[in-house]
Amino acid sequence: MKTADPRIDAFIAKAQPFARPILSHLRDVIHRACPDVEEAIKWSRPAFVNEGRILGVFGAFKAHASLTLWKMGEATGREEEGMGQFGRLTSLADLPGDDELIRIIQTTASARAEAKPQPKKPPRPELPVPEELATALAASPGAQATWDGFAPSHRREYSEWVGEAKRAETRAARAAQSVEWIAEGKQRNWKYQA
């Protein structure tokens, strides 16, 4: 086994007493099935990464544990049921035998390694800056500098907000408010950010 991640040790130690042997056993079997697998924490749960790709995660809850393998249903023909493909695990007896579990994990790892990565979506095009906003930004060099440093998504939010106003008075008021917030370095929806 590669170096054990102490965060997973802590996760298992904090789990309910019934879940500890299940999680320890799953961890051991996963390492026996894929000796090169690396441990990590993903989505606040112990995860197992094989060749840079997540192979699976396990979790512990009040009354059950779970094991979720990457697209296991597609790779092995097993149907998903409940939380994870093995359902609610309340004891070691709920798991298939070690040989079967190792076969399933290795089949999943092979399918995961052969899977092509999802192509990334192209970035959304920049929106044209409404005339009222462009004029107001030009009159405020500090706001213009902040605007130029904003991510395209932040510029898009301001452009949409000003541009969607139907009346000229509303567009002018929104442009003035936008420049004030931009000069302060605030994103469009700054009120709702934590």
Side-chain angles (χ1 to χ4, degrees):
M1 171 175 17
K2 285 194 171 190
T3 306
D5 189 326
R7 297 173 299 174
I8 295 180
D9 294 329
F11 183 90
I12 293 172
K14 282 196 264 182
Q16 296 290 333
F18 79 88
R20 292 179 199 147
I22 298 170
L23 300 177
S24 295
H25 182 73
L26 287 172
R27 184 185 199 185
D28 177 58
V29 170
I30 291 169
H31 281 285
R32 283 192 285 147
C34 298
D36 293 333
V37 77
E38 297 174 12
E39 297 180 345
I41 298 289
K42 303 285 185 183
W43 309 287
S44 303
R45 294 174 63 192
F48 299 90
V49 180
N50 192 35
E51 298 178 9
R53 296 177 172 187
I54 295 175
L55 174 64
V57 296
F58 64 58
F61 307 94
K62 287 183 182 178
H64 71 281
S66 70
L67 171 63
T68 304
L69 297 174
W70 178 83
K71 294 192 178 182
M72 188 189 96
E74 292 178 19
T76 64
R78 291 179 66 106
E79 295 297 319
E80 294 183 26
E81 55 181 71
M83 184 71 161
Q85 293 94 351
F86 298 97
R88 298 168 56 90
L89 303 173
T90 58
S91 72
L92 289 171
D94 294 335
L95 288 168
D98 285 2
D99 292 339
E100 174 69 6
L101 194 53
I102 288 171
R103 186 192 65 73
I104 291 169
I105 293 167
Q106 289 173 341
T107 303
T108 302
S110 296
R112 182 71 170 130
E114 293 170 4
K116 294 181 182 174
Q118 295 276 346
K120 289 188 175 182
K121 292 181 181 177
R124 290 173 53 186
E126 287 266 349
L127 284 180
V129 179
E131 185 178 324
E132 296 84 359
L133 182 57
T135 303
L137 285 169
S140 175
Q144 181 69 55
T146 303
W147 174 265
D148 293 339
F150 269 166
S153 60
H154 301 314
R155 291 193 298 265
R156 184 180 309 108
E157 289 172 346
Y158 275 114
S159 293
E160 285 176 347
W161 186 53
V162 173
E164 70 187 10
K166 293 182 177 37
R167 296 182 328 140
E169 300 84 27
T170 306
R171 279 193 303 279
R174 286 183 181 182
Q177 181 67 72
S178 295
V179 168
E180 182 182 323
W181 288 341
I182 292 167
E184 294 172 10
K186 295 177 178 175
Q187 299 168 12
R188 163 71 181 96
N189 293 306
W190 63 272
K191 295 177 189 176
Y192 308 107
Q193 296 171 342

